[in-house]
Amino acid sequence: MKAGTRETAAALTGFTVGVTAARRREELTALLRRRGARVTEAPALRIVPLEDDAALRAATERCLAAPLDYVVATTGVGWRGWMSAAEGWGYGAALTAACRDAEVLSRGPKATGAVRACGTTETYSPASEAVDELRTWLLARDLTGRRIAVQEHGAPLPGLAAALRERGAEVVEVPVYRWAPPHDPEPVRRLAEATARGDVHALLFTSAPAITSFLEHAETAGRYDAVLERLRGDVLALCVGPVCARPLLEVGAEPVWPERGRLGAMVHLLTATLPDRNRHLIPVGDRTLVLQGNALLLGGDEGAAAEAAAEDTEAVWLTPGSARILRALAEQPGWVVGRRELLRRVWPGQAADEHAVEAAVTRLRAALGPYAGLVRTVPKRGYRLATEPTARPQAGTR
C-alpha cells in the first residue's frame, strides 16, 4: 500500500515489525498483519532436520547402550523428531522404553506435551521454561555415574553438559536438528539496513541463535553500531523468553518478553507495549489526530482519538521520513523546529541538505490532504505545527 493512502486502523496500524523466525513464521506474520502491522520477513536462520544424520543415530545408539537415569526434553518439535527418526531406524520401541524407565525433565508445556504423547510422564518441568532451572534441579542430585541424555534445540548446550559432567555424569548430547544460515541472506541484510535507518519499530526474536545471526548480518553490512544504537533506543526488541533474550542483554539492549513463551503472548505484549512508545496526540480544533508509528489516525473527538486504533478510525500511512518529520514537530507542538534539527532527526549520519527537508515536507503535506495546513513554514527558521505551544522546545531546535 502506498504511503498517504487511507485504511481502517487496527491496534498495530502504523508500525513496521521485523520477524526473524524461520519456524512458524507464517503464523506469527498473520497475527501481526491481522492487527494492522506491516511485517518485514527476514528469517535469520533455517532449521536443518537430522533424521538421516549419522550424529543423531549414533547418539540414539549410545542412549540405548545402557540404562538412562535422566532424559532432558528441551523442545516439542525436537522430541517428536527424535522419536520419529528412532522409529524409522527400528529403535522406536526401545527408545520409548528407555525414556519411560528414566526420569524425564521437560522444558515447558510444548516439550511436556510431546513427552506425554509418546506415553512417558515427566518428573519435572520448570514454570519459567528455562534450561537453567533444569540444570539447577539436576545439580541438586548426586550425579556420580548417572547417564543423562540431553535433547538439544538447534544448538549445543555446552553449559548444561559441562556442568553435569563436572558432577560425574555421563552425558549423551542428542542433536535432533541444528540451526544453519538462511538460504538467502539478503532479507536479513535489508532488515538490518532498515533497522539502522529507523524504518523498523520492533524486532521479534524466537531464539537466541537468531539474534546472534541477525547481529552478524548487521556487522557484515557495516551497520552493526547503528543497529545496536537503535536496539538500545527507539526500536523495541521482543523475545519469546529470557533465554532467547540473552544475546541482546549481553550487548546492552533491553528486550522485553512475555510471561509465557508463546507466539500469541508475544503479539499480545507487542500490542500492549509498542503503541505507548510511539504515539503522539495532535490537537486540531475540536479534534485530536494521533501519530502512531508511520500512520496518522484520523479520530473523532479527543477521547476517541486517545484510544488510537479503534476499528472505525481512518488511518493515513506516511513514508518513514514524513512520519519522522511530523513526529519531530509533534514532540514540540506549536514551536519552531529548525531545518538543521530536522536533518539530524530524519537523516542521521546521512548526506542530506535543507532541500531534502523541503521536499520531505512537501510530501508530508500531500499525504495529509485536508490537514496539509497543519504543517506551517516559518521563513528562514523552519517549521512548526499549527497548534498552540504546550511546552518549551528542546535543546537543538531553532
Side-chain angles (χ1 to χ4, degrees), residues 81-99:
W82 185 21
M83 295 298 121
S84 176
E87 186 174 3
W89 296 322
Y91 300 153
L95 182 59
T96 299
C99 292

Side-chain angles (χ1 to χ4, degrees), residues 319-380:
T319 65
S322 294
R324 285 195 286 270
I325 287 179
L326 186 56
R327 184 173 300 108
L329 299 177
E331 287 174 355
Q332 303 169 64
W335 294 91
V336 177
V337 182
R339 290 179 175 83
R340 282 187 292 177
E341 174 67 8
L342 289 174
L343 279 171
R344 184 186 68 81
R345 292 284 300 273
V346 180
W347 297 277
Q350 300 180 45
D353 56 25
E354 293 189 4
H355 294 294
V357 176
E358 294 170 3
V361 170
T362 298
R363 289 193 295 270
L364 172 59
R365 286 172 172 155
L368 293 177
Y371 295 98
L374 181 63
V375 180
R376 299 285 179 85
T377 300
V378 181
K380 299 183 180 180

Side-chain angles (χ1 to χ4, degrees), residues 41-42 52 115 386 388 391:
E41 299 181 55
D52 299 324
V115 166
E388 289 298 320

Side-chain angles (χ1 to χ4, degrees), residues 109 127 129 240-241 257-266:
E129 305 180 30
V240 73
W257 55 83
E259 291 185 5
R260 299 185 66 228
R262 300 290 179 272
L263 297 188
M266 288 182 71

Side-chain angles (χ1 to χ4, degrees), residues 107-342:
R107 188 183 68 92
K110 291 185 179 179
T112 298
V115 166
R116 292 177 180 178
C118 68
T120 304
T121 301
E122 77 285 355
T123 300
Y124 172 68
S125 181
S128 69
E129 305 180 30
V131 173
D132 286 352
E133 289 202 34
L134 296 176
R135 177 172 54 196
T136 299
W137 190 93
L138 284 166
L139 293 181
R141 278 123 185 105
D142 180 8
L143 300 181
T144 304
R146 302 294 185 179
R147 301 187 77 241
I148 306 174
V150 178
Q151 173 244 312
E152 297 174 348
H153 55 88
L157 297 168
L160 174 60
L164 299 177
R165 288 182 177 122
E166 286 178 2
R167 293 297 184 89
E170 177 188 348
V171 181
V172 181
E173 295 163 281
V174 183
V176 180
Y177 59 88
R178 69 176 184 269
W179 298 114
H183 287 297
D184 182 6
E186 189 61 18
V188 191
R189 186 196 65 78
R190 288 197 298 267
L191 179 59
E193 292 278 1
T195 302
R197 289 194 305 268
D199 294 349
V200 174
H201 300 97
L203 292 171
L204 270 57
F205 300 100
T206 57
S207 72
I211 296 174
T212 301
S213 176
F214 174 72
L215 294 177
E216 288 174 350
H217 280 83
E219 186 170 16
T220 300
R223 306 295 280 166
Y224 179 83
D225 290 339
V227 166
L228 206 55
E229 183 178 356
R230 294 289 184 182
L231 286 169
R232 291 170 176 167
D234 55 359
V235 173
L236 176 64
L238 198 155
C239 301
V240 73
V243 175
C244 170
R246 280 180 180 171
L248 289 175
L249 294 170
E250 289 171 357
V251 295
E254 296 184 358
V256 299
W257 55 83
E259 291 185 5
R260 299 185 66 228
R262 300 290 179 272
L263 297 188
M266 288 182 71
V267 174
H268 179 76
L269 179 59
L270 182 71
T271 303
T273 304
L274 190 56
D276 288 342
R277 291 166 52 108
N278 295 271
R279 179 182 294 160
H280 292 85
L281 304 184
I282 305 173
V284 181
D286 60 351
R287 303 187 70 183
T288 298
L289 308 183
V290 180
L291 177 62
Q292 177 171 288
N294 290 343
L296 188 65
L297 309 184
L298 310 179
D301 58 28
E302 185 170 348
E307 303 208 358
E311 292 184 358
D312 58 350
T313 299
E314 191 177 13
V316 178
W317 277 85
L318 308 173
T319 65
S322 294
R324 285 195 286 270
I325 287 179
L326 186 56
R327 184 173 300 108
L329 299 177
E331 287 174 355
Q332 303 169 64
W335 294 91
V336 177
V337 182
R339 290 179 175 83
R340 282 187 292 177
E341 174 67 8
L342 289 174

